[in-house]
Amino acid sequence: MSDTGYGDFEFERRFWVRDLPRELLDASPALIVQSYFLADEGFAIRVRVQATTVTGLVLTPALDELTLLDAYADRMDLCAITVKGPMNEGTRYEAEREIDVSVGLEMVRRGGSRVAKTRHSVWLGEDGWVVDTFAGANAPLVVAEVERGGPVTDLTIPSFCVTEVTSDSRFSNDALAGHPYGSWSARFEAELASDGPRFLQSLGHNHRPDPE
């Protein structure tokens, strides 16, 4: 349980990324492979294994989740099981407990629908962001996320964040595990071209930095 006064509730906003500056990528990001044993209308049970740092890994559609899991199994040093509730405009119930890595590896290997990604951490302005680059059938999806201890308002949104996907359930990892981005990316880009970018105005003032 967190000490923010909100218990196990998480506050985050997520954005679809295009043309991410290379200098924002970690030379040694974390590698995450996770499996969803339940994913239904926003409710999810997830087992995640993570290698804290990997170097020289380039994710492609050919690198599926089990291939990555087997290749980096001996590098995995963290594992957790997480219970999640549905997202509601940036707020989601999330309770997590660490478990033995060897057990987690076998759980991810043996069942559920999987997602693999590298996670890059970057500090932008007053906020810490993570940028996830996805592998396998979800490649070349890139999603940037900012998380705070309370509602994420008055946010400076970087220019590489093209549109907000916080409330677009298709972009939750539990949804991506069952319906990978590669199978509907063309439709999404057509929607974006037709409707333009969207941002959650109900969460307070959003602004972008002045162009250089």
Side-chain angles (χ1 to χ4, degrees):
M1 182 176 293
S2 70
D3 59 1
T4 62
Y6 293 101
D8 289 316
F9 285 90
E10 304 289 340
F11 300 86
E12 62 187 32
R13 292 176 69 179
R14 298 195 303 266
F15 302 85
W16 183 82
V17 171
R18 178 188 282 145
D19 299 328
L20 179 72
R22 296 296 301 177
E23 63 268 20
L24 295 184
L25 294 177
D26 290 337
S28 299
L31 171 63
I32 294 169
V33 183
Q34 54 198 29
S35 185
Y36 288 86
F37 290 84
L38 168 69
D40 185 31
E41 297 185 353
F43 293 93
I45 298 174
R46 180 192 74 197
V47 175
R48 166 186 284 178
V49 290
Q50 175 178 317
T52 302
T53 59
V54 296
T55 303
L57 175 60
V58 178
L59 299 184
T60 68
L63 281 175
D64 64 65
E65 295 81 11
L66 283 178
T67 298
L68 284 166
L69 188 71
D70 290 340
Y72 288 89
D74 61 347
R75 301 277 300 278
M76 297 298 181
D77 52 8
L78 292 172
C79 182
I81 184 168
T82 305
V83 175
K84 291 174 170 279
M87 177 72 74
N88 181 15
E89 292 196 328
T91 304
R92 192 175 191 185
Y93 176 82
E94 181 175 315
E96 182 173 279
R97 179 181 174 182
E98 287 193 23
I99 61 175
D100 184 86
V101 173
S102 63
V103 173
L105 282 167
E106 291 304 321
M107 291 285 288
V108 174
R109 185 175 284 121
R110 292 167 183 268
S113 300
R114 305 175 190 90
V115 167
K117 58 189 179 181
T118 51
R119 169 158 288 183
H120 305 259
S121 300
V122 60
W123 194 262
L124 299 173
E126 298 181 355
D127 285 297
W129 290 68
V130 295
V131 178
D132 290 341
T133 62
F134 288 79
N138 282 301
L141 176 62
V142 180
V143 174
E145 175 184 310
V146 61
E147 184 175 314
R148 294 179 183 169
V152 184
T153 59
D154 194 25
L155 178 66
T156 298
I157 302 172
S159 59
F160 57 79
C161 293
V162 176
T163 188
E164 185 157 4
V165 295
T166 303
S167 294
D168 190 333
S169 60
R170 295 175 296 181
F171 285 92
S172 68
N173 279 216
D174 38 311
L176 291 172
H179 302 283
Y181 177 71
S183 66
W184 49 271
S185 59
R187 184 168 69 252
F188 171 75
E189 294 236 28
E191 292 172 8
L192 183 61
S194 173
D195 302 336
R198 298 181 178 181
F199 299 94
L200 292 178
Q201 300 301 324
S202 63
L203 291 183
H205 179 58
N206 307 298
H207 56 282
R208 293 181 180 270
D210 294 332
E212 298 180 356

